[in-house]
Short mmCIF file of all heavy atoms in Angstrom, two decimals:
data_model
loop_
_atom_site.label_atom_id
_atom_site.label_comp_id
_atom_site.label_asym_id
_atom_site.label_seq_id
_atom_site.Cartn_x
_atom_site.Cartn_y
_atom_site.Cartn_z
N LEU A 1 0.83 -1.22 -0.03
CA LEU A 1 0.05 -0.01 0.00
C LEU A 1 0.82 1.21 0.09
O LEU A 1 0.60 2.15 -0.71
CB LEU A 1 -0.97 -0.01 1.23
CG LEU A 1 -1.86 1.13 1.41
CD1 LEU A 1 -2.91 1.15 0.15
CD2 LEU A 1 -2.70 1.05 2.70
N GLU A 2 1.88 1.30 0.85
CA GLU A 2 2.72 2.42 0.94
C GLU A 2 3.54 2.67 -0.40
O GLU A 2 3.72 3.80 -0.83
CB GLU A 2 3.71 2.32 2.11
CG GLU A 2 2.99 2.36 3.47
CD GLU A 2 4.07 2.14 4.62
OE1 GLU A 2 5.22 2.24 4.42
OE2 GLU A 2 3.55 1.92 5.65
N ASP A 3 3.92 1.52 -0.99
CA ASP A 3 4.75 1.66 -2.21
C ASP A 3 3.91 2.20 -3.35
O ASP A 3 4.28 3.08 -4.11
CB ASP A 3 5.32 0.30 -2.73
CG ASP A 3 6.36 -0.28 -1.88
OD1 ASP A 3 6.89 0.56 -0.98
OD2 ASP A 3 6.62 -1.43 -1.91
N THR A 4 2.63 1.74 -3.38
CA THR A 4 1.79 2.22 -4.43
C THR A 4 1.41 3.67 -4.18
O THR A 4 1.38 4.53 -5.15
CB THR A 4 0.31 1.42 -4.35
OG1 THR A 4 0.59 0.13 -4.49
CG2 THR A 4 -0.63 1.98 -5.42
N THR A 5 1.21 4.07 -3.00
CA THR A 5 0.92 5.55 -2.66
C THR A 5 2.09 6.44 -3.03
O THR A 5 1.91 7.41 -3.77
CB THR A 5 0.57 5.69 -1.13
OG1 THR A 5 -0.51 4.89 -0.84
CG2 THR A 5 0.28 7.14 -0.87
N GLU A 6 3.32 5.92 -2.65
CA GLU A 6 4.55 6.81 -2.95
C GLU A 6 4.67 6.89 -4.51
O GLU A 6 5.00 8.01 -5.00
CB GLU A 6 5.74 6.05 -2.34
CG GLU A 6 5.85 6.27 -0.88
CD GLU A 6 7.01 5.61 -0.28
OE1 GLU A 6 8.03 5.31 -1.03
OE2 GLU A 6 6.98 5.27 0.91
N GLU A 7 4.53 5.87 -5.20
CA GLU A 7 4.66 5.84 -6.67
C GLU A 7 3.66 6.77 -7.25
O GLU A 7 3.94 7.57 -8.16
CB GLU A 7 4.41 4.42 -7.18
CG GLU A 7 4.67 4.26 -8.72
CD GLU A 7 6.09 4.33 -9.21
OE1 GLU A 7 7.04 4.07 -8.27
OE2 GLU A 7 6.37 4.63 -10.25
N CYS A 8 2.41 6.74 -6.85
CA CYS A 8 1.37 7.52 -7.39
C CYS A 8 1.46 9.01 -7.08
O CYS A 8 1.00 9.90 -7.81
CB CYS A 8 0.03 7.04 -7.06
SG CYS A 8 -0.39 5.42 -7.86
N GLN A 9 2.07 9.35 -5.82
CA GLN A 9 2.15 10.69 -5.48
C GLN A 9 3.13 11.54 -6.42
O GLN A 9 3.08 12.80 -6.40
CB GLN A 9 2.68 10.78 -3.99
CG GLN A 9 1.70 10.48 -3.05
CD GLN A 9 2.23 10.41 -1.61
OE1 GLN A 9 3.40 10.23 -1.38
NE2 GLN A 9 1.27 10.58 -0.70
N GLN A 10 3.86 10.83 -7.29
CA GLN A 10 4.69 11.58 -8.20
C GLN A 10 3.83 12.33 -9.21
O GLN A 10 4.40 13.29 -9.91
CB GLN A 10 5.49 10.58 -8.99
CG GLN A 10 6.51 9.72 -8.22
CD GLN A 10 7.31 8.82 -9.10
OE1 GLN A 10 7.92 9.14 -10.12
NE2 GLN A 10 7.17 7.47 -8.69
N PHE A 11 2.57 11.99 -9.35
CA PHE A 11 1.75 12.58 -10.37
C PHE A 11 0.81 13.62 -9.85
O PHE A 11 0.09 14.33 -10.58
CB PHE A 11 0.95 11.51 -11.23
CG PHE A 11 1.93 10.37 -11.62
CD1 PHE A 11 1.87 9.21 -10.96
CD2 PHE A 11 2.77 10.53 -12.69
CE1 PHE A 11 2.83 8.14 -11.42
CE2 PHE A 11 3.61 9.58 -13.05
CZ PHE A 11 3.59 8.39 -12.51
N GLY A 12 0.72 13.70 -8.56
CA GLY A 12 -0.20 14.61 -7.73
C GLY A 12 -0.67 14.08 -6.43
O GLY A 12 -0.27 13.00 -6.12
N GLU A 13 -1.53 14.82 -5.92
CA GLU A 13 -2.01 14.40 -4.65
C GLU A 13 -2.89 13.18 -4.67
O GLU A 13 -3.86 13.17 -5.47
CB GLU A 13 -2.83 15.52 -4.00
CG GLU A 13 -3.34 15.24 -2.56
CD GLU A 13 -4.06 16.42 -1.92
OE1 GLU A 13 -4.21 17.48 -2.49
OE2 GLU A 13 -4.76 16.11 -0.87
N VAL A 14 -2.54 12.18 -3.86
CA VAL A 14 -3.37 10.95 -3.71
C VAL A 14 -4.28 11.10 -2.64
O VAL A 14 -3.97 11.33 -1.48
CB VAL A 14 -2.51 9.73 -3.51
CG1 VAL A 14 -3.22 8.49 -3.29
CG2 VAL A 14 -1.54 9.54 -4.71
N VAL A 15 -5.61 10.97 -2.81
CA VAL A 15 -6.63 11.09 -1.87
C VAL A 15 -6.85 9.82 -1.11
O VAL A 15 -6.93 9.78 0.11
CB VAL A 15 -8.00 11.53 -2.44
CG1 VAL A 15 -9.16 11.57 -1.52
CG2 VAL A 15 -7.90 12.90 -3.19
N SER A 16 -6.86 8.71 -1.94
CA SER A 16 -6.97 7.32 -1.32
C SER A 16 -6.38 6.21 -2.13
O SER A 16 -6.38 6.42 -3.37
CB SER A 16 -8.48 7.10 -0.96
OG SER A 16 -9.25 6.94 -2.12
N VAL A 17 -6.08 5.16 -1.54
CA VAL A 17 -5.63 3.96 -2.32
C VAL A 17 -6.41 2.82 -1.57
O VAL A 17 -6.38 2.71 -0.35
CB VAL A 17 -4.17 3.66 -2.15
CG1 VAL A 17 -3.80 2.34 -2.77
CG2 VAL A 17 -3.34 4.86 -2.80
N THR A 18 -7.12 2.08 -2.38
CA THR A 18 -7.93 0.91 -1.87
C THR A 18 -7.51 -0.38 -2.53
O THR A 18 -7.46 -0.40 -3.83
CB THR A 18 -9.45 1.11 -2.04
OG1 THR A 18 -9.72 2.36 -1.45
CG2 THR A 18 -10.18 -0.01 -1.51
N ILE A 19 -7.14 -1.42 -1.79
CA ILE A 19 -6.78 -2.75 -2.33
C ILE A 19 -7.78 -3.74 -1.64
O ILE A 19 -7.82 -3.98 -0.41
CB ILE A 19 -5.44 -3.09 -1.87
CG1 ILE A 19 -4.39 -2.05 -2.45
CG2 ILE A 19 -5.13 -4.48 -2.47
CD1 ILE A 19 -2.89 -2.19 -2.08
N PRO A 20 -8.79 -4.10 -2.46
CA PRO A 20 -9.80 -5.02 -1.79
C PRO A 20 -9.26 -6.38 -1.30
O PRO A 20 -8.17 -6.83 -1.84
CB PRO A 20 -10.75 -5.41 -3.01
CG PRO A 20 -10.61 -4.14 -3.93
CD PRO A 20 -9.13 -3.84 -3.84
N ARG A 21 -9.75 -6.85 -0.28
CA ARG A 21 -9.28 -8.11 0.43
C ARG A 21 -9.47 -9.33 -0.51
O ARG A 21 -10.37 -9.26 -1.39
CB ARG A 21 -9.90 -8.34 1.72
CG ARG A 21 -9.67 -7.24 2.68
CD ARG A 21 -10.34 -7.58 3.96
NE ARG A 21 -10.06 -6.55 4.96
CZ ARG A 21 -10.21 -6.64 6.18
NH1 ARG A 21 -10.89 -7.70 6.68
NH2 ARG A 21 -9.89 -5.67 7.10
N GLN A 22 -8.74 -10.35 -0.24
CA GLN A 22 -8.81 -11.57 -1.07
C GLN A 22 -10.26 -12.04 -1.09
O GLN A 22 -10.83 -12.15 0.07
CB GLN A 22 -7.85 -12.64 -0.41
CG GLN A 22 -7.91 -13.94 -1.23
CD GLN A 22 -7.17 -13.69 -2.67
OE1 GLN A 22 -6.42 -12.82 -2.89
NE2 GLN A 22 -7.56 -14.58 -3.49
N GLY A 23 -10.81 -12.41 -2.06
CA GLY A 23 -12.25 -12.86 -2.23
C GLY A 23 -13.22 -11.92 -2.44
O GLY A 23 -14.39 -12.17 -2.76
N ALA A 24 -12.98 -10.65 -2.11
CA ALA A 24 -13.90 -9.57 -2.25
C ALA A 24 -13.93 -9.09 -3.68
O ALA A 24 -13.04 -9.24 -4.42
CB ALA A 24 -13.53 -8.36 -1.36
N PRO A 25 -15.12 -8.40 -4.10
CA PRO A 25 -15.08 -7.86 -5.55
C PRO A 25 -13.89 -6.90 -5.75
O PRO A 25 -13.57 -6.13 -4.74
CB PRO A 25 -16.46 -7.16 -5.48
CG PRO A 25 -17.22 -7.79 -4.47
CD PRO A 25 -16.29 -8.26 -3.38
N GLY A 26 -13.32 -6.97 -6.80
CA GLY A 26 -12.18 -6.16 -7.10
C GLY A 26 -10.83 -6.71 -6.67
O GLY A 26 -9.75 -6.09 -6.86
N THR A 27 -10.79 -8.04 -6.14
CA THR A 27 -9.62 -8.58 -5.65
C THR A 27 -8.60 -8.65 -6.87
O THR A 27 -8.94 -8.91 -8.06
CB THR A 27 -9.73 -10.02 -5.26
OG1 THR A 27 -10.65 -10.06 -4.12
CG2 THR A 27 -8.47 -10.74 -4.88
N GLY A 28 -7.33 -8.25 -6.53
CA GLY A 28 -6.20 -8.23 -7.63
C GLY A 28 -6.05 -6.92 -8.24
O GLY A 28 -5.32 -6.73 -9.16
N LYS A 29 -6.99 -5.93 -7.82
CA LYS A 29 -6.90 -4.60 -8.41
C LYS A 29 -6.51 -3.60 -7.34
O LYS A 29 -6.75 -3.90 -6.10
CB LYS A 29 -8.27 -4.18 -9.02
CG LYS A 29 -8.70 -5.19 -10.18
CD LYS A 29 -10.02 -4.77 -10.69
CE LYS A 29 -10.41 -5.72 -11.81
NZ LYS A 29 -11.81 -5.46 -12.43
N VAL A 30 -6.13 -2.50 -7.77
CA VAL A 30 -5.76 -1.33 -6.90
C VAL A 30 -6.53 -0.19 -7.38
O VAL A 30 -6.46 0.21 -8.47
CB VAL A 30 -4.30 -1.02 -6.79
CG1 VAL A 30 -3.91 0.10 -5.98
CG2 VAL A 30 -3.52 -2.28 -6.41
N PHE A 31 -7.24 0.52 -6.52
CA PHE A 31 -8.08 1.71 -6.73
C PHE A 31 -7.36 2.93 -6.19
O PHE A 31 -7.29 2.87 -4.98
CB PHE A 31 -9.40 1.53 -6.29
CG PHE A 31 -10.25 0.34 -6.97
CD1 PHE A 31 -10.08 -0.91 -6.48
CD2 PHE A 31 -10.94 0.50 -8.06
CE1 PHE A 31 -10.70 -2.03 -7.02
CE2 PHE A 31 -11.65 -0.53 -8.69
CZ PHE A 31 -11.52 -1.77 -8.19
N VAL A 32 -7.02 3.88 -7.00
CA VAL A 32 -6.28 5.05 -6.55
C VAL A 32 -7.16 6.21 -6.97
O VAL A 32 -7.52 6.40 -8.09
CB VAL A 32 -4.95 5.22 -7.27
CG1 VAL A 32 -4.18 6.35 -6.73
CG2 VAL A 32 -4.07 3.99 -6.95
N GLU A 33 -7.42 7.09 -5.99
CA GLU A 33 -8.16 8.32 -6.13
C GLU A 33 -7.25 9.50 -5.96
O GLU A 33 -6.45 9.58 -5.04
CB GLU A 33 -9.26 8.49 -5.13
CG GLU A 33 -10.02 9.70 -5.21
CD GLU A 33 -11.19 9.87 -4.19
OE1 GLU A 33 -11.14 9.16 -3.23
OE2 GLU A 33 -11.73 10.98 -4.30
N PHE A 34 -7.20 10.34 -7.09
CA PHE A 34 -6.29 11.53 -7.08
C PHE A 34 -7.26 12.68 -6.82
O PHE A 34 -8.38 12.74 -6.94
CB PHE A 34 -5.58 11.63 -8.49
CG PHE A 34 -4.58 10.66 -8.74
CD1 PHE A 34 -4.93 9.43 -9.36
CD2 PHE A 34 -3.24 10.88 -8.28
CE1 PHE A 34 -3.88 8.47 -9.60
CE2 PHE A 34 -2.28 9.98 -8.57
CZ PHE A 34 -2.58 8.74 -9.25
N SER A 35 -6.57 13.82 -6.39
CA SER A 35 -7.31 15.03 -6.05
C SER A 35 -7.66 15.86 -7.35
O SER A 35 -8.52 16.75 -7.32
CB SER A 35 -6.45 16.02 -5.16
OG SER A 35 -5.23 16.31 -5.86
N SER A 36 -7.05 15.46 -8.52
CA SER A 36 -7.32 16.18 -9.77
C SER A 36 -7.38 15.19 -10.88
O SER A 36 -6.72 14.22 -10.89
CB SER A 36 -6.34 17.28 -10.07
OG SER A 36 -5.12 16.74 -10.32
N GLN A 37 -8.17 15.62 -11.97
CA GLN A 37 -8.17 14.84 -13.12
C GLN A 37 -6.80 14.89 -13.86
O GLN A 37 -6.36 13.83 -14.48
CB GLN A 37 -9.20 15.43 -14.08
CG GLN A 37 -9.50 14.60 -15.39
CD GLN A 37 -10.68 15.08 -16.22
OE1 GLN A 37 -11.26 16.19 -15.88
NE2 GLN A 37 -11.03 14.36 -17.25
N GLU A 38 -6.13 15.99 -13.86
CA GLU A 38 -4.78 16.11 -14.31
C GLU A 38 -3.81 15.08 -13.76
O GLU A 38 -3.13 14.41 -14.51
CB GLU A 38 -4.32 17.48 -14.21
CG GLU A 38 -2.89 17.69 -14.79
CD GLU A 38 -2.40 19.10 -14.52
OE1 GLU A 38 -2.85 20.03 -15.19
OE2 GLU A 38 -1.52 19.33 -13.63
N ALA A 39 -3.84 14.90 -12.52
CA ALA A 39 -2.96 13.91 -11.81
C ALA A 39 -3.33 12.50 -12.23
O ALA A 39 -2.42 11.69 -12.57
CB ALA A 39 -3.05 14.06 -10.24
N SER A 40 -4.62 12.25 -12.32
CA SER A 40 -4.94 10.84 -12.82
C SER A 40 -4.68 10.59 -14.23
O SER A 40 -4.25 9.51 -14.49
CB SER A 40 -6.48 10.64 -12.46
OG SER A 40 -7.27 11.41 -13.37
N GLN A 41 -4.66 11.54 -15.07
CA GLN A 41 -4.27 11.40 -16.39
C GLN A 41 -2.80 11.21 -16.52
O GLN A 41 -2.39 10.26 -17.39
CB GLN A 41 -4.71 12.58 -17.27
CG GLN A 41 -6.25 12.68 -17.50
CD GLN A 41 -6.70 13.97 -18.09
OE1 GLN A 41 -6.10 15.01 -18.07
NE2 GLN A 41 -7.93 13.83 -18.76
N LYS A 42 -2.01 11.98 -15.81
CA LYS A 42 -0.54 11.79 -15.87
C LYS A 42 -0.21 10.36 -15.35
O LYS A 42 0.69 9.67 -15.98
CB LYS A 42 0.06 12.84 -15.03
CG LYS A 42 0.26 14.13 -15.68
CD LYS A 42 1.27 15.05 -15.02
CE LYS A 42 0.84 15.68 -13.67
NZ LYS A 42 1.80 16.67 -13.14
N ALA A 43 -0.86 9.95 -14.35
CA ALA A 43 -0.53 8.62 -13.79
C ALA A 43 -0.95 7.54 -14.77
O ALA A 43 -0.24 6.65 -15.04
CB ALA A 43 -1.32 8.39 -12.46
N SER A 44 -2.02 7.76 -15.42
CA SER A 44 -2.53 6.67 -16.39
C SER A 44 -1.50 6.58 -17.61
O SER A 44 -1.21 5.53 -18.00
CB SER A 44 -3.89 7.17 -16.91
OG SER A 44 -4.39 6.30 -17.93
N GLN A 45 -1.13 7.80 -18.10
CA GLN A 45 -0.26 7.79 -19.20
C GLN A 45 1.13 7.15 -18.85
O GLN A 45 1.73 6.43 -19.67
CB GLN A 45 -0.05 9.20 -19.72
CG GLN A 45 -1.31 9.71 -20.33
CD GLN A 45 -1.15 11.28 -20.53
OE1 GLN A 45 -0.25 11.89 -20.14
NE2 GLN A 45 -2.19 11.72 -21.28
N THR A 46 1.67 7.43 -17.71
CA THR A 46 2.97 7.00 -17.30
C THR A 46 2.97 5.47 -16.81
O THR A 46 3.90 4.72 -17.11
CB THR A 46 3.50 7.86 -16.15
OG1 THR A 46 3.46 9.20 -16.53
CG2 THR A 46 4.86 7.48 -15.75
N LEU A 47 1.92 5.06 -16.02
CA LEU A 47 1.96 3.76 -15.46
C LEU A 47 1.40 2.60 -16.37
O LEU A 47 1.72 1.49 -16.14
CB LEU A 47 1.14 3.76 -14.09
CG LEU A 47 1.70 4.74 -13.06
CD1 LEU A 47 0.75 4.79 -11.91
CD2 LEU A 47 3.13 4.24 -12.63
N SER A 48 0.52 3.04 -17.23
CA SER A 48 -0.12 1.93 -18.10
C SER A 48 0.93 1.13 -18.82
O SER A 48 1.83 1.69 -19.45
CB SER A 48 -1.02 2.59 -19.02
OG SER A 48 -1.78 1.60 -19.75
N GLY A 49 0.97 -0.15 -18.67
CA GLY A 49 1.87 -1.08 -19.27
C GLY A 49 3.22 -1.36 -18.55
O GLY A 49 3.88 -2.28 -18.86
N ARG A 50 3.39 -0.61 -17.50
CA ARG A 50 4.61 -0.77 -16.64
C ARG A 50 4.44 -2.06 -15.84
O ARG A 50 3.38 -2.50 -15.52
CB ARG A 50 4.85 0.36 -15.73
CG ARG A 50 5.65 1.47 -16.37
CD ARG A 50 6.06 2.55 -15.32
NE ARG A 50 6.64 2.02 -14.18
CZ ARG A 50 6.81 2.71 -13.02
NH1 ARG A 50 6.47 3.94 -12.93
NH2 ARG A 50 7.26 2.10 -11.99
N THR A 51 5.59 -2.51 -15.35
CA THR A 51 5.53 -3.63 -14.41
C THR A 51 5.80 -3.11 -12.96
O THR A 51 6.78 -2.27 -12.76
CB THR A 51 6.59 -4.67 -14.69
OG1 THR A 51 6.35 -5.11 -16.07
CG2 THR A 51 6.57 -5.90 -13.78
N PHE A 52 4.92 -3.39 -12.01
CA PHE A 52 5.04 -2.92 -10.63
C PHE A 52 4.85 -4.14 -9.76
O PHE A 52 3.79 -4.84 -9.79
CB PHE A 52 4.00 -1.86 -10.34
CG PHE A 52 4.11 -1.09 -9.09
CD1 PHE A 52 5.13 -0.21 -8.99
CD2 PHE A 52 3.25 -1.51 -8.03
CE1 PHE A 52 5.27 0.44 -7.68
CE2 PHE A 52 3.42 -0.83 -6.80
CZ PHE A 52 4.35 0.14 -6.75
N ASP A 53 5.81 -4.28 -8.95
CA ASP A 53 5.83 -5.52 -8.08
C ASP A 53 5.64 -6.83 -8.74
O ASP A 53 4.83 -7.60 -8.28
CB ASP A 53 4.77 -5.27 -6.90
CG ASP A 53 5.04 -6.11 -5.73
OD1 ASP A 53 6.22 -6.50 -5.51
OD2 ASP A 53 4.05 -6.45 -4.98
N GLY A 54 6.12 -6.92 -9.94
CA GLY A 54 6.07 -8.16 -10.63
C GLY A 54 4.78 -8.28 -11.47
O GLY A 54 4.58 -9.29 -12.15
N ARG A 55 3.91 -7.33 -11.57
CA ARG A 55 2.66 -7.42 -12.21
C ARG A 55 2.61 -6.39 -13.20
O ARG A 55 3.05 -5.13 -13.03
CB ARG A 55 1.52 -7.24 -11.28
CG ARG A 55 1.46 -8.37 -10.15
CD ARG A 55 0.29 -8.35 -9.38
NE ARG A 55 0.22 -9.41 -8.51
CZ ARG A 55 -0.75 -9.57 -7.55
NH1 ARG A 55 -1.67 -8.70 -7.40
NH2 ARG A 55 -0.74 -10.67 -6.75
N ARG A 56 1.97 -6.61 -14.36
CA ARG A 56 1.76 -5.61 -15.42
C ARG A 56 0.67 -4.58 -14.97
O ARG A 56 -0.43 -5.13 -14.57
CB ARG A 56 1.46 -6.20 -16.68
CG ARG A 56 1.31 -5.26 -17.87
CD ARG A 56 1.25 -6.13 -19.16
NE ARG A 56 1.20 -5.10 -20.29
CZ ARG A 56 0.10 -4.53 -20.79
NH1 ARG A 56 -0.99 -4.73 -20.09
NH2 ARG A 56 0.23 -3.72 -21.77
N VAL A 57 0.87 -3.35 -15.13
CA VAL A 57 -0.13 -2.39 -14.77
C VAL A 57 -1.14 -2.08 -15.93
O VAL A 57 -0.66 -1.83 -17.07
CB VAL A 57 0.49 -1.05 -14.31
CG1 VAL A 57 -0.51 0.14 -13.96
CG2 VAL A 57 1.36 -1.31 -13.06
N GLU A 58 -2.40 -2.23 -15.67
CA GLU A 58 -3.48 -1.86 -16.64
C GLU A 58 -4.26 -0.79 -15.99
O GLU A 58 -4.79 -0.99 -14.90
CB GLU A 58 -4.25 -2.99 -17.07
CG GLU A 58 -3.48 -4.10 -17.85
CD GLU A 58 -4.41 -5.33 -18.17
OE1 GLU A 58 -5.63 -5.04 -18.31
OE2 GLU A 58 -3.81 -6.47 -18.28
N VAL A 59 -4.46 0.34 -16.71
CA VAL A 59 -5.15 1.47 -16.11
C VAL A 59 -6.54 1.59 -16.71
O VAL A 59 -6.55 1.62 -18.02
CB VAL A 59 -4.26 2.72 -16.30
CG1 VAL A 59 -5.05 3.92 -15.72
CG2 VAL A 59 -2.85 2.67 -15.62
N THR A 60 -7.53 1.68 -15.97
CA THR A 60 -8.90 2.06 -16.47
C THR A 60 -9.41 3.15 -15.42
O THR A 60 -9.04 3.06 -14.25
CB THR A 60 -9.77 0.93 -16.59
OG1 THR A 60 -9.93 0.17 -15.36
CG2 THR A 60 -9.29 -0.14 -17.61
N TYR A 61 -10.42 3.90 -15.91
CA TYR A 61 -11.03 4.78 -14.97
C TYR A 61 -12.33 4.04 -14.44
O TYR A 61 -12.94 3.21 -15.08
CB TYR A 61 -11.56 6.10 -15.77
CG TYR A 61 -10.25 6.91 -16.10
CD1 TYR A 61 -9.71 6.81 -17.33
CD2 TYR A 61 -9.70 7.79 -15.12
CE1 TYR A 61 -8.52 7.55 -17.69
CE2 TYR A 61 -8.62 8.43 -15.39
CZ TYR A 61 -8.03 8.36 -16.71
OH TYR A 61 -6.92 9.09 -17.02
N PHE A 62 -12.60 4.39 -13.13
CA PHE A 62 -13.67 3.56 -12.47
C PHE A 62 -14.60 4.65 -11.89
O PHE A 62 -14.15 5.82 -11.48
CB PHE A 62 -13.04 2.88 -11.34
CG PHE A 62 -13.94 1.85 -10.68
CD1 PHE A 62 -14.31 0.63 -11.27
CD2 PHE A 62 -14.63 2.07 -9.51
CE1 PHE A 62 -15.14 -0.22 -10.79
CE2 PHE A 62 -15.51 1.22 -8.98
CZ PHE A 62 -15.69 -0.03 -9.59
N PRO A 63 -15.95 4.47 -12.00
CA PRO A 63 -16.85 5.52 -11.60
C PRO A 63 -16.65 5.84 -10.06
O PRO A 63 -16.50 5.04 -9.23
CB PRO A 63 -18.21 4.79 -11.70
CG PRO A 63 -17.97 3.73 -12.72
CD PRO A 63 -16.59 3.27 -12.58
N GLU A 64 -16.50 7.14 -9.80
CA GLU A 64 -16.25 7.72 -8.53
C GLU A 64 -17.31 7.34 -7.51
O GLU A 64 -16.95 7.01 -6.35
CB GLU A 64 -16.02 9.24 -8.59
CG GLU A 64 -15.49 9.84 -7.28
CD GLU A 64 -15.33 11.37 -7.49
OE1 GLU A 64 -15.35 11.86 -8.61
OE2 GLU A 64 -14.97 11.97 -6.43
N ASP A 65 -18.58 7.27 -7.92
CA ASP A 65 -19.63 7.02 -6.92
C ASP A 65 -19.52 5.63 -6.51
O ASP A 65 -19.77 5.29 -5.32
CB ASP A 65 -20.94 7.45 -7.47
CG ASP A 65 -21.31 6.63 -8.86
OD1 ASP A 65 -20.45 6.25 -9.59
OD2 ASP A 65 -22.50 6.48 -9.10
N LYS A 66 -19.21 4.78 -7.47
CA LYS A 66 -19.09 3.34 -7.02
C LYS A 66 -17.81 3.07 -6.09
O LYS A 66 -17.93 2.27 -5.15
CB LYS A 66 -18.81 2.37 -8.32
CG LYS A 66 -20.16 2.24 -9.04
CD LYS A 66 -20.00 1.21 -10.17
CE LYS A 66 -21.33 0.73 -10.72
NZ LYS A 66 -21.16 -0.39 -11.45
N ALA A 67 -16.74 3.68 -6.39
CA ALA A 67 -15.56 3.53 -5.56
C ALA A 67 -15.82 4.05 -4.07
O ALA A 67 -15.52 3.45 -3.21
CB ALA A 67 -14.33 4.42 -6.20
N LYS A 68 -16.49 5.24 -4.01
CA LYS A 68 -16.78 5.76 -2.76
C LYS A 68 -17.79 4.84 -1.89
O LYS A 68 -17.69 4.86 -0.73
CB LYS A 68 -17.31 7.18 -2.86
CG LYS A 68 -16.35 8.20 -3.29
CD LYS A 68 -16.75 9.56 -3.00
CE LYS A 68 -15.77 10.63 -3.52
NZ LYS A 68 -14.52 10.67 -2.66
N ALA A 69 -18.62 4.03 -2.66
CA ALA A 69 -19.52 3.20 -2.02
C ALA A 69 -18.97 1.86 -1.75
O ALA A 69 -19.57 0.96 -1.14
CB ALA A 69 -20.82 3.08 -2.91
N GLY A 70 -17.72 1.65 -2.13
CA GLY A 70 -16.99 0.32 -2.07
C GLY A 70 -17.52 -0.74 -2.87
O GLY A 70 -17.31 -1.89 -2.62
N GLU A 71 -18.10 -0.42 -4.03
CA GLU A 71 -18.64 -1.34 -5.09
C GLU A 71 -17.64 -1.52 -6.11
O GLU A 71 -17.67 -0.93 -7.16
CB GLU A 71 -20.00 -0.81 -5.68
CG GLU A 71 -21.06 -0.54 -4.63
CD GLU A 71 -22.28 0.09 -5.18
OE1 GLU A 71 -22.36 0.20 -6.48
OE2 GLU A 71 -23.13 0.52 -4.41
N PHE A 72 -16.66 -2.40 -5.85
CA PHE A 72 -15.60 -2.63 -6.81
C PHE A 72 -15.70 -3.71 -7.83
O PHE A 72 -14.76 -4.26 -8.34
CB PHE A 72 -14.27 -2.92 -5.98
CG PHE A 72 -13.92 -1.67 -5.07
CD1 PHE A 72 -14.01 -1.80 -3.67
CD2 PHE A 72 -13.52 -0.54 -5.69
CE1 PHE A 72 -13.61 -0.74 -2.86
CE2 PHE A 72 -13.30 0.62 -4.83
CZ PHE A 72 -13.26 0.53 -3.46
N SER A 73 -16.96 -4.20 -8.00
CA SER A 73 -17.19 -5.26 -8.99
C SER A 73 -17.33 -4.76 -10.40
O SER A 73 -17.49 -3.63 -10.63
CB SER A 73 -18.40 -6.12 -8.57
OG SER A 73 -19.58 -5.24 -8.55
#
């Protein structure tokens, strides 16, 4: 969690990082909320396709209302 937060802070202010627990909807994914659209776009452009902690990063945007409600499916 700390590594992900530190990596993402390079692109702007990180509001939250959520990693769903094993077996929960969204398992295997990391949800990062930035304070601005510009920061999220920079992160998306830079991180997409990179390898992080041995895994390939795929970036997609997720509805903010669902993320805030914890609906990660």
Side-chain angles (χ1 to χ4, degrees):
L1 181 64
E2 291 175 18
D3 290 346
T4 301
T5 302
E6 286 178 22
E7 184 73 22
C8 290
Q9 285 176 336
Q10 297 178 56
F11 309 105
E13 182 182 350
V14 173
V15 175
S16 67
V17 176
T18 304
I19 303 173
R21 293 182 180 193
Q22 186 69 24
T27 297
K29 298 178 182 177
V30 177
F31 297 86
V32 181
E33 178 184 5
F34 289 91
S35 64
S36 71
Q37 185 175 7
E38 180 181 284
S40 67
Q41 289 172 337
K42 282 199 282 187
S44 174
Q45 292 168 352
T46 304
L47 297 175
S48 187
R50 272 190 45 195
T51 301
F52 188 75
D53 198 26
R55 297 182 178 180
R56 186 173 182 275
V57 175
E58 294 182 26
V59 178
T60 58
Y61 291 95
F62 195 78
E64 188 175 354
D65 58 333
K66 284 189 169 192
K68 288 194 182 291
E71 298 174 12
F72 298 114
S73 55

